[in-house]
Amino acid sequence: MRNGSNLIQAITKNSQRVVSTTTASKQSTKVLTIDEVTAQTCPFRKSLDKIESVLRPREETKPLIPKSEIQSFQNIPGPKGLPIVGTLFDYFKKDGPRFNKMFEAYKQRAIEYGPIYKEKIGPISSVIISDPLEYNKVIRAERKYPNRREMEPMAHYRRKRNMGLGLVNAQGEEWHKHRSVVSKKMLKMKEVLSYCGEMDTVADDFMKHLMSRRDNQYEIQGLETDIFKWAMESIGTFLFEERIGCLGEKTPQQAQDFIVNLQGFFKLMQPLMYNVPLYKIYPTKTWRQYEEYTDNILRIGRSFVDKKVAQLQTAGTQDADHVSFLTYLLSQQSLTPDEALSTAVDLLVGATETTTTGSLWVLYNLAKNPEVQEKLYRETKNILQDNESITPEKLSQLSYVKAVVKETFRLYPITFATSRHIEDKLEVGGYMLPAGTHVQANLYGMFHDPELYPDPESFKPERWLQGEMDRTLKSLSNLVWGHGARMCIGRRFAEQEIHIMLTKIVQNFKLEYDNEDIEPVLNTVMTPDRPLRLKFIPRSA
Ligand code: HEM
């Protein structure tokens, strides 16, 4: 990080971008002993290779640091904590870092301790990496079954109930079994594009919904919940191949309950994850509340599944080319009905809060940057007729829309850090990390680093347009979706629905925001710290 012991310096020389990294402590040569184990089948592998090949420092031709100079894990700098609880109490001090601002804490710690530091916060020990090149070693060392840290409260709940851990929390072969089933549908571009029409219809309904929800100040009270409804309706068309009905005049009670419980679930996950996990020995108040939310989510999820099963029994099999995802899951011999349910619920959980929050940040940024909004409006005008449906072909032409979303995720990476337990010992930043070490990429820190992204606090979608930015830094931004074989399985789906919804918003409304600036806070994902009071002024007004 910028003022820390390590510095990434971007130097443009002979019109070629080169990044040199020096270690203030010993001004050493950067180590590039990449422990390449296997090549993953990862759609972004090429771009990640590119990050390395272009950001690779000039010193690479110098002899690598001799093994004897690689320092031990114990020497990695970082805040000193107490036995068992680590630095946990720092987070309760008046002027200390905050749980709900963990991304800020990572950024500040990296400035203080450098691009590789370690910290134990309650039960979680991590090595935090803020240098993209060094993190690339972690990416390249991944094997067939990447191991991400469990979301412990979620996993604990499922173990208590004797349930499978599902896609999000399972590891090893168990995870791979789920992933292979789901990826056959969700990672195929053709499959995702085939939902463009449904997403377009849902987005049209959402526009009508927004229009009807505005008060006489053009504001929508509880906008977060309305966006959540859209996200749920959108994933519903894919999972269930039918409309849930969230955007009608009256949301069905079941869908309403589902939303309330999911919101509560995410809010409580954050404190449960970072505090000492007392809930594992004693059902604390927070845990009981969390358990209740989860019970309700599963109960409602199960009833969606049961309804589908009943429909299938009466209606027979659907057209094999376009069956709902749930039908597909239930027909997989490798999954029990309970596992199919866990996976469907994981997707509902994974799809809603993330997409909602990401979309809120996009809308906020547009409202705060009228010139960007106007440029976006002009793009949609050039490419689409009024009321024209958004087809895959049209979607592919909407490059500014995509740049706006990318820039939003750079400023507000809703998943602010990655998580991996490395499988083999690995040299990173001149230190040897033992197998099993939990490492995280400090995405928020990287994305706000002026050496990597000049003027990082400004919202400039133009950075992402052809020729405006180094291709390597474009690739870095993909990390907001994770990486390798375990990267977000809903990425294509999420991007498509957000692009479509955003296009429609800009076609229909001019967004304005004249209240105080919004700050990000963590409710598991990075959310606005207060209700977003946007004005939706109709374009035709
Ligand atoms: C703005 C939207 C989203 C963001 C930023 C996001 C981000 C992420 C990230 C960072 C991961 C961890 C990846 C890794 O460890 O390498 C992840 C995993 C996951 N996401 Fe998403 N996600 C989003 C939307 C979605 C949607 C729409 C779905 C479902 C339709 C989804 C389902 C999942 C699932 C099931 C996993 C676990 C995958 C596995 O472990 O194999 N996500 N997501």
Side-chain angles (χ1 to χ4, degrees), residues 50 221 276 361 408 440 536:
K50 184 81 181 156
Q221 306 297 324
V276 177
W361 286 122
T408 300
Q440 294 189 273
F536 288 79

Side-chain angles (χ1 to χ4, degrees), residues 156-174:
H156 181 65
Y157 173 95
R158 289 192 179 187
R159 287 198 181 97
K160 261 182 84 182
R161 300 281 194 283
N162 277 327
M163 291 175 67
L165 292 182
L167 187 53
V168 172
N169 286 309
Q171 308 289 359
E173 288 190 15
E174 164 77 0

Side-chain angles (χ1 to χ4, degrees), residues 142 146 148 166-170 175 179 182 186 235 238-239 343 346-359 409 413-415 417-420 443 479-491 493-495 497-498 525:
E142 260 188 10
R148 188 179 51 239
L167 187 53
V168 172
N169 286 309
W175 162 77
R179 179 88 186 191
V182 177
M186 294 200 74
I235 182 78
F238 168 72
L239 280 180
T343 303
D346 275 0
L347 291 175
L348 266 177
V349 170
T352 39
E353 184 73 3
T354 46
T355 314
T356 303
T357 315
S359 305
F409 286 152
I414 60 169
T415 42
T418 59
S419 159
R420 285 292 184 270
L443 297 185
L479 285 184
V480 78
W481 305 95
H483 56 82
R486 202 146 192 182
M487 85 175 325
C488 176
I489 203 148
R491 173 182 181 168
F493 198 91
E495 286 184 318
E497 60 180 341
I498 295 174
V525 293

Side-chain angles (χ1 to χ4, degrees), residues 5 277 312 351 523 528:
S5 57
L312 289 174
N523 284 303

